[in-house]
Amino acid sequence: AVLFLISILRQYGDFDVKRTIKQNNAAQTSYLDFQQNLLGYNRDGVSYTDYEGNLIWTDAYEMEDPSFDECNDYLMIYDKSGTQIEIMTMSGKKGSIHTNLPITCASLADNGTVAVLTQEGDTHYLTVYNVNGDTLASGELHTTNTGYPISLAISSDAKKLMVSLVSLNDGDVKTTLLFYNFGRAGEKAKDNIVATYSYSNMIIPRVDFVNGDRAIAFGDNEIVLFSSSSKPKVSKEIFVKDRIVNIFHNDKYFGLITTTADTKEATRETMTVYTIRGFKRFSKEINASYNKISFTSNNEILLTDGENVTLYTLGGIKKFSHDFKDGIYQMIPWDGSTNYIFIQKGVIEKVKLK
């Protein structure tokens, strides 16, 4: 028990490099830990390698603003404000979808089904495609009637869909959440809409389905958790007093970065992490330089600005902090609690923290 306690409370400031693998990094490439291998993508294409740098597969495309979403065995890369979507698994590309109008946002289910929002003027089009690009469902959202859609999410089983719409009337902001069901529960519902929730004086810029089909909505001053029933009901509301500046989550946890000012007008940031059911794990004031924050595959919290890296545990312990003067693209857990992979310019390093 003592050894276990020491291991979870221990902090590290340096590391030993166990292996270095040369790597050709293309410009402006983002890296993901996908199915225990390394996926890199940029405007020109995507490559999938193991942690030793051995190529598994590669695929070329042309996108101006590539964005990604993943769900279990599937991963999607789509061109935000463009018209192209690529769907992949560990074995390579499974399908391509080309839309007629620019993509506002897209969401992926675990069978490769994709929900897409496109826009033309004041009309937004909601379309659900299978992995082969066939249309499964479609509809229109008119800004003057329903509001402006800013986020959508599809459940892992592809039967539920959630859309967040913002409207402004006489200076008052309101967000409406629409819940669609394409299974039996939605057969008799108008336009398959089985539930609607409205929130005054709040913008909800991000929605998602987590842990299978449990809906969650991240507002600018409140987090709303929903049940996993066919007609979702609010199961918990978390009200946030300070300004939310960042949100991150996986299927088990979600976290908030909030900011406030003390009596000396100095900005202070606090990181708070909850379980996916809304129980607080920890809340801690932080002082880290970052522009990206995410959960790693072992549920640690990684903050980085491309040079500085800070790693927190689920207990709120600052496990590791380091300044990489030559830059770092990604830090990935590997084989144990102190072994990690660093993706840097020109190299992949397997290291052990010390």
Side-chain angles (χ1 to χ4, degrees):
V2 172
L3 292 175
F4 175 74
L5 186 61
I6 291 173
S7 69
I8 62 175
L9 295 178
R10 185 174 177 183
Q11 296 176 291
Y12 305 85
D14 205 353
F15 55 89
D16 288 326
V17 178
K18 299 299 183 181
R19 179 169 169 76
T20 300
I21 304 118
K22 291 185 178 180
Q23 176 87 345
N24 294 322
N25 304 107
Q28 297 181 330
T29 299
S30 298
Y31 292 92
L32 306 172
D33 182 16
F34 178 60
Q35 299 293 321
Q36 298 182 339
N37 286 304
L38 184 65
L39 187 138
Y41 69 95
N42 55 31
R43 293 181 176 183
D44 300 316
V46 56
S47 63
Y48 193 51
T49 66
D50 61 21
Y51 293 149
E52 297 290 330
N54 299 310
L55 182 65
I56 300 173
W57 55 261
T58 184
D59 186 61
Y61 54 69
E62 292 184 5
M63 295 187 186
E64 288 298 318
D65 186 10
S67 301
F68 87 97
D69 190 21
E70 62 178 303
C71 188
N72 297 328
D73 296 333
Y74 279 84
L75 182 138
M76 166 184 66
I77 299 176
Y78 66 96
D79 193 6
K80 196 168 185 179
S81 298
T83 60
Q84 187 176 359
I85 301 171
E86 301 292 333
I87 305 169
M88 292 148 283
T89 66
M90 290 178 62
S91 59
K93 184 166 73 174
K94 292 300 179 182
S96 294
I97 299 171
H98 293 271
T99 62
N100 295 323
L101 297 170
I103 299 168
T104 302
C105 53
S107 181
L108 179 70
D110 68 3
N111 61 356
T113 298
V114 179
V116 184
L117 266 176
T118 56
Q119 180 181 3
E120 184 178 38
D122 290 335
T123 303
H124 297 258
Y125 297 89
L126 178 60
T127 311
V128 179
Y129 301 93
N130 65 16
V131 70
N132 298 317
D134 302 320
T135 300
L136 302 179
S138 62
E140 296 182 8
L141 297 170
H142 298 275
T143 303
T144 54
N145 298 330
T146 60
Y148 192 96
I150 57 174
S151 183
L152 91 162
I154 191 169
S155 61
S156 61
D157 63 4
K159 292 182 179 180
K160 301 176 185 177
L161 186 68
M162 175 171 47
V163 181
S164 174
L165 305 106
V166 174
S167 59
L168 182 63
N169 295 314
D170 298 326
D172 295 326
V173 175
K174 183 179 76 172
T175 297
T176 300
L177 298 178
L178 299 181
F179 288 89
Y180 297 79
N181 191 300
F182 301 110
R184 289 185 178 181
E187 288 179 352
K188 296 181 179 180
K190 184 179 178 181
D191 297 327
N192 294 95
I193 298 175
V194 294
T196 302
Y197 293 90
S198 294
Y199 298 88
S200 299
N201 301 317
M202 182 166 70
I203 297 176
I204 301 178
R206 186 171 176 182
V207 296
D208 210 344
F209 284 95
V210 292
N211 195 21
D213 59 0
R214 184 178 296 274
I216 184 169
F218 298 98
D220 57 4
N221 55 31
E222 180 184 350
I223 312 301
V224 188
L225 308 177
F226 295 88
S227 65
S228 57
S229 59
S230 299
K231 297 180 180 180
K233 297 180 180 179
V234 175
S235 61
K236 191 167 187 176
E237 294 177 286
I238 300 172
F239 298 95
V240 183
K241 294 181 180 179
D242 297 325
R243 184 168 66 92
I244 299 174
V245 295
N246 217 318
I247 297 167
F248 54 102
H249 76 86
N250 59 15
D251 263 358
K252 295 181 178 180
Y253 305 95
F254 66 88
L256 312 174
I257 302 293
T258 56
T259 183
T260 186
D262 61 19
T263 55
K264 297 180 180 180
E265 298 300 322
T267 299
R268 294 183 291 112
E269 287 193 333
T270 300
M271 177 167 60
T272 307
V273 173
Y274 301 83
T275 69
I276 217 62
R277 293 183 179 271
F279 298 103
K280 186 186 292 186
R281 285 297 303 257
F282 74 86
S283 185
K284 185 181 185 69
E285 187 174 326
I286 62 172
N287 182 20
S289 177
Y290 70 96
N291 52 28
K292 294 181 181 179
I293 181 169
S294 61
F295 284 104
T296 62
S297 59
N298 63 350
N299 297 315
E300 293 174 335
I301 301 107
L302 176 67
L303 300 91
T304 179
D305 62 0
E307 292 184 359
N308 299 281
V309 165
T310 306
L311 191 68
Y312 285 89
T313 69
L314 279 175
I317 304 299
K318 184 189 288 188
K319 181 177 180 178
F320 176 70
S321 182
H322 194 80
D323 180 9
F324 294 84
K325 295 181 180 180
D326 295 328
I328 184 168
Y329 299 126
Q330 187 59 275
M331 178 178 177
I332 299 171
W334 167 72
D335 190 27
S337 62
T338 58
N339 295 317
Y340 291 83
I341 294 173
F342 293 159
I343 312 299
Q344 302 177 78
K345 185 176 180 180
V347 295
I348 298 174
E349 290 185 337
K350 291 187 173 183
V351 308
K352 184 177 181 64
L353 303 186
K354 67 177 184 179

